[in-house]
Amino acid sequence: MQPVLSRDFCPSLGTFCLEQLAPFAVRITRGQAGHASVLPNPVSLPWERVEEEQVVGGALSVTWSTGSPALRVWYRGRCVLEEHPQIACQPSPEGLRHTRVQHDGEIYLGLGEVSGILQRNARRYRLEPRDACHYDPEFSDPLYKHIPLFLTRHAKDLWSALLYDQPHPMVFDFGCERHHYHGLFTYTLVRQADYLRYLVVCADSLPELLERLTGLIGRPELPPRWSLGYLASGMAYTDAPNPVERLRAFVQRLRDEGLPCDGFHLSSGYTLHEGRRYVFQWNRRAIPDPDALIAELRSKGLRVIANVKPALLKEHPDYQTLKDAGCFVRNAAGQPHVAPFWGGDASWLDFSHPKARKWWMEKVQRELLDRGVEGIWNDNNEYALEGEVFNAQGRPTYPSEQILGMAQASHQAMQEHPGFQDRRPFLISRSASLGVQRLAQTWSGDNTSDWKNLRFGNPIAMGLALSGFALNGNDVGGFFGAPPGPELFLRWVQQAVAYPRFSIHSWREPPTEPWSYPQVFPAVKEALHLRYRLIPYLYSLVWQHTQSGAPIQRPLLYEFPDWAHDPGFHALLGPFLLFPMVGAPGQRSVRLELPEAWYDWHSRRLYQGCFEYPTPLERVPLLVRAGAIVPLGPLMPWIAPSHDTKREVLVFPHREQGRSRFLLYEDDGETRAYQRGSFKLVHLELVSASERVELRVEAAGDYPLPYSQLEVRLAVDDGRRLEVRSGWPSVEKDPRSVVLEVR
């Protein structure tokens, strides 16, 4: 049985419930008494009648004192959660407060997307989604998302996660508040709630914890391979009076410059009518033939991802029909809630209402998917409405519920569309709540073009990844504010090579584009080429995330447990590639202290311990871990099996002796055939010895590879000889290179 504890607490009933939970999560609903349990056969125990100890599972036990609702949770005999004996669960005018004893040495991580460094210690956060344009990435609070879970590192070999399975707004305090009589404590305030429901997950290591946690909350299916390419964007194109001409010119410039690109975000300007934006209503004066435009972009390798918003202006052609059907969230008087939105008054769809979902799905299919759109972009979906709002059943509804409902409706519309019967849906969502990570990618919202947003973009993104939402990124170059300038833009592009989601996006006119600054354009182009060459490595990491929850872009802490206090500015891409952050103008070196040994990607120089790493402007700052196995693909104008005709594997040997492994995952990148077994796994194992370096290659699976050869190259000339063991025929080109015939 999994070491997972679930607890329900309801002060009005005077009970709490304990139950072992199978690795899946179910959304709660509020019952008549304000308390609902979806646990299988929950055990309800009145406080005055509980015994002193109850063992919940093999490695997990719970103790409590007679007459108190305060619990202690133990994992393998060590305490991972201690509710405060005096103030564990307290009702307040705002909701319920859940207070825990804070133990020495605990380090807190997670909470999804919040500001600051990776560690949450000594901070207080609100989880209440907001349209946080121009936020301060170090201090602003709240931001866009509602992911109420956090991780605790108790010791190098003891980890736990605390997840609140509730939709309410919340406040998390990790040691800010102090009280002389209560010692050190942390707490969660669940606002507007009359019950408390949480889950505790325990493990011996961070990778094991994330595997258990993501197995509980759900992992995504494989996204289309093209979604890992450069996805262009910018509000200026469709807000312009001539969007078709602007888009044609952009695509032509891409191809003339030899820049790879796989997608274009169609911003909401395609629904712009006399200064107002009406979701799903194409502006036929600016875009007279949407089908032809989308087909033209697709013929040049760009998939179209269309922006949609959950609010309808009162002048929208369908507003009255939806109002009459009760499809909007409501105010206390039972009328559609009305608030300002994009220059007018609007109401927000209630995605718990079957008719609202049906209308939404039909519009997504008819106005977008039927025209050739291949991705849906849920935007402005925070539901940051003032005051309490209600659903069609008259019950309070919360942003987290509506955000998930919108994601489910958009995703289902794609799944059920005839053109997607065997294709992978692609959805992105600005706001997110628990469950959205199974359905969509996300990004860190409307950031600002400054150095601080570049630096803190990594800890924000990796905080999301440690919360189970690994498919994310930041707007490269910054969305809001003055143009970034050549140096900031280049450094951002170089860092974004490691983002799971790569998109250059801005509000301004002219938009930020790869060639915006001619003086750095050659280096921008080189970074984009590196991104595309790394697609086989990156796609394999995405597959691994879908299997185990392992982050794609990850902090040093994930690979090196002793690095618990690393703030998260320097980002790992998978286990082997480190992208040092260059976070200030004029900076041409980075002071680093790293475990193990690392090679410079460019010079192959070996670094170890504490060192100064040179970062000239024209090079992507990139270090490769000794023992790395890095699969590379060819340069492609866009990602497609017909272009993917070459595969290399670079081997960076251990400094002396060692062993490492990597799984190269291959499939068609587009369809669901992989779910029927059409994929290939290439097992790569590197064994470094004093006189030779050996790579063992084994392949399994039925997918026919689009390339006929796989070249293995020893990336470092240190006097050792390369040997390759494989069932495929091989030819040695030289002592550092072996070519395998893969079919």
Side-chain angles (χ1 to χ4, degrees), residues 12 100 233 239 307 347 407 452 477 545 577 629 657 695 725 729:
S12 64
R100 305 163 297 273
S233 193
D239 276 14
N307 184 287
S347 296
K452 190 176 190 180
H545 172 67
L577 302 181
I629 306 164
Q657 297 181 347
L695 186 71
R725 291 189 181 183

Side-chain angles (χ1 to χ4, degrees), residues 161-230:
L162 183 60
L163 181 157
Y164 291 86
D165 188 19
Q166 298 181 238
H168 307 87
M170 299 185 195
V171 174
F172 288 81
D173 186 306
F174 294 102
C176 285
E177 185 174 319
R178 291 286 185 264
H179 192 294
H180 176 71
Y181 296 107
H182 294 323
L184 299 181
F185 57 86
T186 66
Y187 72 83
T188 305
L189 173 64
V190 185
R191 298 176 61 194
Q192 306 170 29
D194 50 11
Y195 66 94
L196 181 70
R197 183 166 198 231
Y198 66 78
L199 297 91
V200 183
V201 186
C202 305
D204 301 318
S205 68
L206 179 55
E208 183 182 26
L209 180 69
L210 285 179
E211 184 168 10
R212 289 175 176 170
L213 178 64
T214 58
L216 186 74
I217 65 175
R219 306 179 192 121
E221 296 181 356
L222 266 175
R225 193 176 180 114
W226 60 261
S227 67
L228 302 179
Y230 163 36

Side-chain angles (χ1 to χ4, degrees), residues 50 70 359 412-413 420 500 524 622 705:
V50 299
W359 177 86
Q412 187 178 350
F420 279 80
V524 169
L622 178 55
L705 296 172

